[in-house]
Amino acid sequence: MKFPGVVYAYYERKLRRSLIGDRIPEHIGVMVDGNRRWAKLAGAPTSDGHQAGADKILEFLGWCQELGVRMVTLYMLSTDNLNRDADELEPLLDIIGNTLDRLGEQGNLRVQPVGALEILPARLAKQLTELGESTGDADGLHVNVAIGYGGRREIVDAVKELLRDAEAEGKGIAEVTEEICDTKISEYLYTRGQPDPELVIRTSGEQRLSGFLMWQSAYSEFYFCEALWPDFRRVDFLRALRDYASRQRRFGS
């Protein structure tokens, strides 16, 4: 091992030892951003960047399992991404499909689709549904795959479903209005029944939500990393966890 590698390994071990078990987030949201820029800097096709990002997802989930994280939500494909040119979108959808197969092959991951499946190509929607069903009883890391996801759409879909249920129960508008509250809407989100993420990580240096878990992240801690997602290292993840552990979380203004 070269000397810089020795130093890097020592630093990584030091970071790992500094983490306290009860300060590891239970649920982490990750915006896997920077695949296209990574490809451009490498002088490679855009699809190579998406593939490198997909490979990093499998590696990242391994880190989460090692550290005891219980749930991860991955922002893999937004509703806006579906408007990209077919020359980029088609290979991206193939890579996503292949990544889903790889997740299913892990054997212990519970994979849950989080998004509007009805706007996805039928083949991908079917694959997501079947993967969710086949891994539903897995007792390992819970992985939400946000594909065809948009935060505003999620809230709109939640309200629509709430109103449809109310109509089916014969409730009038006045009764429904009285019942609506933040807890009620949470019961209709794509992530219903799950804890909100304590930590949201975004790579590539961008500092915005881009519609990711807008409702659920109201009190999340945010960590913005300069590394492009394919270059995101275990040490970068440990730094994010150390930063999270050092914060005093507040749930008000």
Side-chain angles (χ1 to χ4, degrees):
M1 183 183 292
K2 296 182 180 179
F3 181 71
V6 173
V7 174
Y8 176 86
Y10 170 77
Y11 178 56
E12 185 178 291
R13 288 195 299 271
K14 183 178 180 181
L15 276 175
R16 177 65 183 90
R17 287 195 299 268
S18 72
L19 297 177
I20 301 172
D22 63 1
R23 292 290 289 163
I24 299 292
E26 178 181 9
H27 181 183
I28 298 177
V30 187
M31 307 176 73
V32 295
D33 192 24
N35 296 337
R36 292 198 291 178
R37 272 173 281 174
W38 184 90
K40 185 176 181 180
L41 289 170
T46 300
S47 58
D48 285 9
H50 292 313
Q51 184 60 61
D55 294 339
K56 181 61 64 175
I57 284 174
L58 273 296
E59 187 178 5
F60 174 77
L61 295 179
W63 302 338
C64 289
Q65 289 175 297
E66 291 171 11
L67 293 166
V69 176
R70 295 181 57 191
M71 182 176 294
V72 173
T73 299
L74 299 165
Y75 201 9
M76 295 177 63
L77 185 76
S78 73
T79 51
D80 292 332
N81 293 155
L82 290 168
N83 297 321
R84 290 180 179 176
D85 292 339
D87 288 346
E88 179 183 355
L89 184 58
E90 289 303 322
L92 174 57
L93 293 176
D94 288 340
I95 290 169
I96 288 174
N98 179 257
T99 303
L100 294 175
D101 286 338
R102 295 168 70 187
L103 292 176
E105 292 166 359
Q106 299 300 303
N108 65 336
L109 300 180
R110 180 183 176 185
V111 183
Q112 179 175 333
V114 175
L117 300 189
E118 65 273 16
I119 67 174
L120 297 174
R123 173 177 54 84
L124 181 58
K126 181 174 183 289
Q127 183 181 10
L128 281 163
T129 299
E130 291 177 348
L131 182 59
E133 292 172 350
S134 65
T135 65
D137 294 328
D139 58 3
L141 180 66
H142 187 135
V143 183
N144 293 323
V145 286
I147 298 173
Y149 178 88
R152 289 179 174 176
R153 183 179 182 113
E154 178 180 26
I155 296 169
V156 170
D157 284 351
V159 173
K160 285 182 177 179
E161 187 178 354
L162 185 157
L163 293 175
R164 283 194 293 267
D165 281 357
E167 182 182 31
E169 295 169 7
K171 295 180 179 179
I173 188 65
E175 185 178 0
V176 175
T177 302
E178 286 300 314
E179 290 181 352
I180 288 181
C181 61
D182 56 352
T183 301
K184 192 71 174 178
I185 292 176
S186 293
E187 293 173 358
Y188 286 88
L189 297 174
Y190 301 146
T191 58
R192 65 196 71 179
Q194 299 180 12
D196 292 337
E198 294 98 333
L199 174 64
V200 174
I201 299 172
R202 180 167 188 161
T203 56
S204 85
E206 300 293 342
Q207 297 188 24
R208 61 180 184 276
L209 269 180
S210 297
F212 183 52
L213 300 180
M214 293 168 59
W215 183 281
Q216 299 89 330
S217 66
Y219 295 107
S220 300
E221 300 294 326
F222 292 88
Y223 185 86
F224 300 104
C225 177
E226 291 295 325
L228 303 176
W229 174 246
D231 290 330
F232 190 69
R233 304 165 299 173
R234 191 171 187 270
V235 71
D236 296 315
F237 184 42
L238 292 173
R239 284 171 176 160
L241 295 179
R242 180 185 62 182
D243 183 80
Y244 167 82
S246 71
R247 299 184 189 183
Q248 181 65 45
R249 297 192 70 202
R250 295 179 174 85
F251 297 91
S253 60

